[in-house]
């Protein structure tokens, strides 16, 4: 009898243990429609309870839920709970690109002009006097095809978008595939692939705004390390001057951890610069580390790209409200956008962004979360 009740108790305990342990999964919910296309929201959960929500509208990551050092799981990415908040005019005007996939060309191209194989192309000026993040309707504002992926140690979402020849002024029918993968090691991996049928230019990136305090504070107390010995200095319109300037002795030296707020007042407008990553070879290498010592949350960024745009959320003005009800004021989030350098099509001394037919574009960026 005694044995039976002990066994019964054990069975109950086991049942609870099994139920409360998060399971690696991906689920899909209807999230409205735009451009006459259905939009979905996908919830990726790993075995540690880390959750990433991604919509196939703009490939936008709307939430990243990670534990702090006490195991409290909270959202550390700026975003909204409904599609209409991303499609409404007020948001499009503010243009913060929360969590979005950026293409065909991330960051700025001077005066919206570039020449390829002797032919000049003109793009929309959506960030006067330049073009920014793919133009008026970049990859952040289109509906991507989506396919769920179930692995043994990870789940993923493969997003595909075909950009037509001359869409937003870019030559070539261009197929982009971005696969988000959430692993049981608390990594969010982004595999980018692309092909074209005519020579074109490409610079795909991702625009999540991170706030490891879960928006309890701004990001000025976050400690940042960027493994970069130089930046590409810019003019007043944020177009590179074409030079590569060492960071040593400047507020851009993040080769050792520094609080973002420590020297930000010495940088006109705040940080919005491309850092030239220290790397050997073309493989995946550690580019940045970010720590919020209050929550203990720690993020590492690995990438195959040559540069990273560190943007300290300078244009946020409190008019947008996060899914947790927080007004997103200046510096309430920061972006670490792995990329090729801005305005590369006009800078032959920068790594090339040209993609020819028959070539395969690929890049990998990994955001890895842990605690300290
Ligand atoms: C990038 C740019 C910034 C700004 C943001 C979006 O990071 O470099 O200047 O346009 O995107 O607001």
């Amino acid at each position: 009898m005694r044995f039976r009740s002990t066994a019964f108790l054990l069975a109950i305990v086991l049942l609870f243990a099994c139920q409360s342990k998060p399971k690696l999964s991906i689920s899909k919910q209807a999230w409205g429609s735009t451009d006459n296309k259905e939009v979905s929201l996908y919830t990726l959960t790993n075995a540690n309870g880390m959750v990433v929500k991604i919509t196939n509208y703009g490939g936008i990551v709307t939430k990243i839920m990670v534990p702090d050092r006490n195991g409290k799981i909270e959202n550390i990415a700026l975003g909204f709970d409904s599609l209409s908040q991303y499609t409404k005019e007020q948001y499009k005007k503010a243009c913060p690109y929360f969590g979005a996939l950026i293409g065909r060309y991330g960051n700025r191209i001077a005066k919206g002009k570039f020449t390829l194989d002797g032919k000049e192309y003109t793009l929309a000026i959506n960030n006067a006097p330049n073009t920014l993040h793919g133009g008026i309707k970049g990859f952040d504002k289109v509906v991507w095809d989506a396919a769920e992926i179930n692995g043994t140690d990870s789940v993923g979402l493969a997003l595909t978008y075909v950009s037509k020849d001359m869409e937003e002024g870019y030559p070539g029918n261009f197929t982009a595939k971005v696969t988000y993968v959430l692993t049981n090691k608390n990594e969010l991996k982004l595999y980018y692939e692309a092909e074209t049928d005519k020579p074109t230019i490409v610079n795909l990136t991702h625009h999540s705004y991170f706030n490891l305090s879960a928006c309890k504070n701004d990001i000025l107390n976050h400690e940042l390390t960027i493994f970069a010995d130089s930046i590409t200095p810019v003019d007043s319109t944020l177009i590179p001057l074409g030079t590569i300037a060492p960071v040593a002795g400047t507020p851009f030296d993040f080769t050792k951890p520094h609080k973002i707020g420590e020297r930000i007042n010495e940088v006109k407008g705040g940080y919005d610069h491309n850092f030239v990553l220290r790397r050997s070879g073309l493989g995946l290498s550690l580019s940045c580390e970010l720590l919020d010592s209050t929550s203990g949350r720690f993020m590492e960024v690995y990438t195959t790209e040559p540069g990273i745009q560190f943007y300290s959320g300078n244009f946020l003005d409190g008019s947008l409200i996060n899914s947790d009800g927080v007004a997103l004021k200046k510096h309430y989030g920061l972006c670490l956008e792995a990329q090729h350098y801005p305005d590369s099509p006009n800078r032959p001394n920068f790594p090339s962004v040209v993609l020819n037919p028959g070539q395969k574009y690929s890049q990998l960026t990994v955001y890895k979360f842990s605690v300290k």
Side-chain angles (χ1 to χ4, degrees):
M1 191 62 186
R2 191 131 170 231
F3 170 75
R4 260 181 137 197
S5 56
T6 316
F8 180 69
L9 247 160
L10 200 72
I12 297 268
V13 168
L14 270 174
L15 191 74
F16 264 95
C18 288
Q19 271 180 353
S20 60
K21 202 176 175 309
K23 242 185 92 200
L24 185 66
S25 64
I26 177 166
S27 63
K28 175 183 176 181
Q29 74 187 75
W31 221 48
S33 65
T34 187
D35 289 347
N36 293 319
K37 288 182 184 144
E38 296 293 315
V39 173
S40 303
L41 183 69
Y42 296 84
T43 303
L44 286 66
T45 307
N46 76 6
N48 313 313
M50 178 174 164
V51 173
V52 179
K53 288 186 183 270
I54 307 167
T55 168
N56 61 324
Y57 173 71
I60 294 173
V61 170
T62 67
K63 261 190 186 169
I64 304 177
M65 313 273 300
V66 293
D68 68 5
R69 69 162 74 83
N70 300 316
K72 188 168 183 200
I73 296 182
E74 289 174 303
N75 177 27
I76 55 89
L78 306 193
F80 306 122
D81 278 335
S82 68
L83 178 62
S84 61
Q85 284 167 291
Y86 290 98
T87 51
K88 70 181 179 192
E89 277 314 304
Q90 183 209 0
Y91 180 76
K92 284 189 183 160
K93 254 191 170 159
C95 247
Y97 303 91
F98 286 164
L101 292 178
I102 307 292
R104 193 179 299 197
Y105 196 90
N107 212 281
R108 293 174 178 79
I109 296 176
K111 310 266 184 335
K113 291 209 183 291
F114 69 97
T115 302
L116 188 58
D117 296 336
K119 192 169 172 223
E120 189 181 75
Y121 293 91
T122 302
L123 310 165
I125 305 300
N126 62 330
N127 187 254
N130 306 311
T131 190
L132 174 68
H133 290 335
I136 294 168
K137 191 168 180 176
F139 292 3
D140 58 297
K141 295 183 190 71
V142 299
V143 179
W144 295 61
D145 290 333
E148 298 168 39
I149 303 167
N150 283 289
T152 43
D153 293 311
S154 64
V155 280
L157 185 70
L159 297 172
T160 310
Y161 177 67
V162 180
S163 164
K164 295 258 154 53
D165 186 23
M166 295 314 287
E167 185 174 313
E168 289 293 332
Y170 294 94
N173 291 299
F174 178 88
T175 304
K177 184 173 175 190
V178 181
T179 308
Y180 283 104
V181 173
L182 173 65
T183 73
N184 280 340
K185 291 182 183 157
N186 287 8
E187 298 158 314
L188 179 62
K189 298 184 170 181
L190 280 86
Y191 293 89
Y192 300 77
E193 295 159 84
E195 284 182 298
T196 182
D197 65 358
K198 280 187 194 155
T200 190
I201 55 167
V202 52
N203 190 24
L204 303 181
T205 190
H206 174 73
H207 214 290
S208 269
Y209 287 64
F210 301 99
N211 183 327
L212 301 182
S213 79
C215 281
K216 299 213 170 47
N217 285 301
D218 59 31
I219 49 86
L220 297 180
N221 274 327
H222 284 35
E223 286 161 49
L224 177 66
T225 311
I226 308 179
F227 299 100
D229 298 306
S230 43
I231 58 161
T232 50
V234 284
D235 67 13
S236 61
T237 74
L238 298 173
I239 290 293
L241 303 173
T243 49
I244 307 279
V247 295
T250 76
F252 299 99
D253 190 347
F254 283 95
T255 52
K256 300 261 156 21
H258 280 276
K259 285 200 171 161
I260 291 166
E262 191 185 317
R263 301 161 298 174
I264 198 169
N265 291 335
E266 297 168 45
V267 181
K268 204 166 173 265
Y271 294 102
D272 194 353
H273 295 80
N274 171 64
F275 286 69
V276 175
L277 294 172
R278 192 190 280 169
R279 57 163 49 258
S280 55
L282 297 174
L284 194 63
S285 70
L286 181 61
S287 65
C288 313
E289 293 177 345
L290 186 68
L291 173 70
D292 170 40
S293 54
T294 309
S295 66
R297 292 193 182 97
F298 183 61
M299 181 177 84
E300 293 153 279
V301 185
Y302 297 81
T303 188
T304 55
E305 287 296 276
I308 204 140
Q309 184 83 8
F310 164 39
Y311 168 60
S312 53
N314 315 322
F315 300 125
L316 299 175
D317 62 4
S319 59
L320 298 167
I321 311 292
N322 203 22
S323 53
D324 306 307
V326 180
L328 300 172
K329 292 181 278 196
K330 192 170 179 179
H331 307 315
Y332 257 67
L334 69 98
C335 303
L336 293 166
E337 305 155 58
Q339 59 175 16
H340 272 58
Y341 312 163
D343 201 30
S344 293
N346 295 308
R347 294 287 172 195
N349 59 321
F350 289 176
S352 173
V353 289
V354 174
L355 183 71
N356 288 307
Q359 289 180 325
K360 279 189 195 308
Y361 165 91
S362 70
Q363 78 122 311
L364 170 61
T365 297
V366 179
Y367 298 95
K368 181 169 187 186
F369 298 90
S370 56
V371 289
K372 280 207 164 180

